[in-house]
Amino acid sequence: MADILTGAKFEGDYKKWISEVSNRFKTSQIKASIKVNDEMLRFYWLLGRDIETLKKNVTWGSHVYQKISKDLVKELPEIKSFSPRNLQYMNQFYRLYSDVEITPQFDAQIKSIITPQTGAQIDKNIIFMIPWGHHKVIMDKCKEDQHRALFFVLNTLENNWSRAVLLNFLDTKLFDRQGKAVTNFEYTLPPARSDLAQELTKDPYNFDFITLTNNYNEKELKDALMDNITAFLLELGSGFAFVGREYRIQIGNTENFIDMLFYHIKLHCYVVVEVKITAFEPSFTGQLGTYVVAVNHILKSEMDAPTLGLLVCKSKDNIQAKYAIESSSQPLGISEYELSNLVPDDFKGTLPTIEEIEAELNEHK
């Protein structure tokens, strides 16, 4: 501080110092918020444990939560957290994570998504790092399934999901879809990278954020995905950055266009995505593999990892898909997509025109 006050560039240094103080304060606020949340959730877990013990030693039956709530509110009238329903959540919170060994305040830094499906060891103290409101949503949907619940805790922490986004993925059965694409990653990528690449896939992909007519064509589907690029990136998952649609790439004397090209920030590689509105055909992998090789030759730098290819079809025979990609030396994955929001082909024709709406409004003025 003394150097800033006496330095020749006082004005510029002072502004820089003000900015640094501001950033330190914001960081301190975030850390304080995390600490408060951590302490509160540890208290809830311990209270849930005590309630579980109490339930085994009293004969209050279904009125146990009402009894505890009434007595706690009498002692702590200013606290709003002791409603019967919230006490039930606390008890469920303990039962769901009863095997947690509470350690001193946990300051974990999750470098990448580690899902319970992989069998990876994780410190379950991470449950104290997301908000209570998120936990209630997870418990409502996952009940007593700890593996499923931890999956959503990890993803919430990794992706900084809001409660609304978390609820959306709980409703789209992300746990059952994550990492389920048919791939050859285990043969074409190093083991550690293979696991991470597999986890970024889904099967099926949920495209219910778009609406199309029954007889939509491939261009309409791709246009709709691009019109809803934010939702599409959210469905693809954390780390995907959009590079381009109908991305032009010259292969020899032939001009080619990749459906969609992405870059995965965490895996440090390009991802070629091809979308088909038909059932999977083995010939699709030849085209996808060619695009992957072309991107490696033309776009990939020495700093980038090998390009991945992802084919998203309307349907597939898993055995046929597996055989097809085993014949490729390029890392490829094949998934299906779901699209429930379909309307009749003549739907647009049944809608009133702008002129008809304006005329109707003018009649009621």
Side-chain angles (χ1 to χ4, degrees):
M1 181 63 184
D3 292 339
I4 291 176
L5 291 173
T6 58
K9 300 178 181 178
F10 174 82
E11 187 66 27
D13 288 343
Y14 177 75
K15 288 181 178 178
K16 181 180 179 182
W17 175 76
I18 288 292
S19 177
E20 289 174 353
V21 170
S22 174
N23 289 333
R24 287 205 305 266
F25 179 77
K26 291 175 182 176
T27 301
S28 177
Q29 278 188 315
I30 292 170
K31 288 183 177 178
S33 175
I34 291 173
K35 184 174 181 179
V36 169
N37 182 72
D38 179 286
E39 293 294 340
M40 181 186 73
L41 291 181
R42 289 168 189 268
F43 173 80
Y44 285 175
W45 187 90
L46 290 168
L47 180 53
R49 182 194 63 184
D50 293 346
I51 292 172
E52 188 67 15
T53 301
L54 193 61
K55 284 163 57 180
K56 296 175 183 177
N57 292 282
V58 298
T59 57
W60 300 335
S62 60
H63 299 293
V64 62
Y65 299 108
Q66 286 80 356
K67 168 66 174 170
I68 298 171
S69 174
K70 180 181 178 181
D71 293 339
L72 283 175
V73 170
K74 186 185 297 183
E75 291 292 325
L76 300 165
E78 72 281 5
I79 305 300
K80 308 299 182 185
S81 303
F82 299 129
S83 68
R85 183 68 183 113
N86 213 33
L87 291 173
Q88 283 182 286
Y89 276 123
M90 294 177 203
N91 187 216
Q92 183 182 355
F93 186 55
Y94 167 74
R95 293 199 312 271
L96 185 57
Y97 305 111
S98 60
D99 59 340
V100 169
E101 295 182 9
I102 294 185
T103 60
Q105 184 152 328
F106 190 60
D107 188 22
Q109 294 197 5
I110 305 300
K111 301 297 184 184
S112 60
I113 296 176
I114 308 172
T115 68
Q117 290 106 312
T118 65
Q121 294 297 312
I122 60 172
D123 190 324
K124 293 178 184 176
N125 278 256
I126 61 165
I127 64 173
F128 303 123
M129 297 182 67
I130 70 170
W132 180 238
H134 287 61
H135 274 298
K136 292 195 290 185
V137 169
I138 290 172
M139 287 187 287
D140 283 341
K141 297 292 184 177
C142 298
K143 307 303 180 187
E144 304 294 326
D145 187 339
Q146 188 190 90
H147 288 320
R148 189 178 296 266
L150 277 174
F151 170 83
F152 286 104
V153 170
L154 282 161
N155 275 273
T156 296
L157 189 60
E158 166 74 13
N159 303 309
N160 195 28
W161 283 346
S162 68
R163 203 183 311 176
V165 171
L166 169 62
L167 187 57
N168 173 71
F169 279 120
L170 282 161
D171 287 339
T172 61
K173 297 181 173 59
L174 178 62
F175 178 82
D176 300 310
R177 301 186 292 121
Q178 186 82 40
K180 298 299 174 61
V182 176
T183 75
N184 62 0
F185 296 157
E186 63 178 307
Y187 310 116
T188 55
L189 296 172
R193 188 170 185 80
S194 168
D195 290 343
L196 290 173
Q198 185 68 45
E199 285 303 324
L200 71 82
T201 70
K202 296 183 178 73
D203 190 26
Y205 283 89
N206 188 296
F207 289 169
D208 282 353
F209 53 84
I210 61 177
T211 301
L212 293 172
T213 57
N214 279 314
N215 292 318
Y216 63 90
N217 58 41
E218 205 163 274
K219 182 179 183 303
E220 288 173 330
L221 175 59
K222 295 171 189 175
D223 286 346
L225 292 174
M226 290 300 98
D227 289 342
N228 295 270
I229 187 62
T230 300
F232 186 33
L233 284 169
L234 193 62
E235 173 62 14
L236 285 174
S238 174
F240 279 89
F242 180 60
V243 177
R245 155 87 190 277
E246 294 295 327
Y247 192 92
R248 180 185 176 279
I249 195 163
Q250 189 78 20
I251 303 176
N253 296 321
T254 306
E255 189 178 48
N256 295 265
F257 295 91
I258 296 170
D259 280 354
M260 300 166 197
L261 184 63
F262 297 86
Y263 191 85
H264 200 276
I265 298 169
K266 296 175 183 177
L267 291 177
H268 302 289
C269 69
Y270 287 99
V271 182
V272 173
V273 177
E274 288 288 302
V275 179
K276 305 293 184 182
I277 64 169
T278 60
F280 169 75
E281 296 179 16
S283 60
F284 294 161
T285 59
Q287 179 190 41
L288 180 61
T290 300
Y291 288 162
V292 167
V293 172
V295 170
N296 281 334
H297 280 284
I298 298 169
L299 299 178
K300 176 183 172 296
S301 72
E302 293 182 358
M303 303 296 292
D304 298 321
T307 303
L308 305 179
L310 179 60
L311 182 67
V312 184
C313 304
K314 184 68 184 73
S315 62
K316 69 182 185 309
D317 180 310
N318 284 340
I319 301 300
Q320 184 186 47
K322 181 176 174 60
Y323 287 178
I325 58 175
E326 280 189 15
S327 67
S328 175
S329 61
Q330 301 306 312
L332 307 179
I334 304 172
S335 295
E336 300 177 7
Y337 69 86
E338 290 180 340
L339 176 56
S340 302
N341 295 331
L342 295 172
V343 297
D345 296 332
D346 61 351
F347 178 74
K348 291 181 180 179
T350 65
L351 295 175
T353 64
I354 294 176
E355 291 77 12
E356 289 171 335
I357 294 173
E358 289 177 343
E360 183 70 19
L361 292 174
N362 288 331
E363 287 183 9
H364 292 84
K365 283 185 177 179

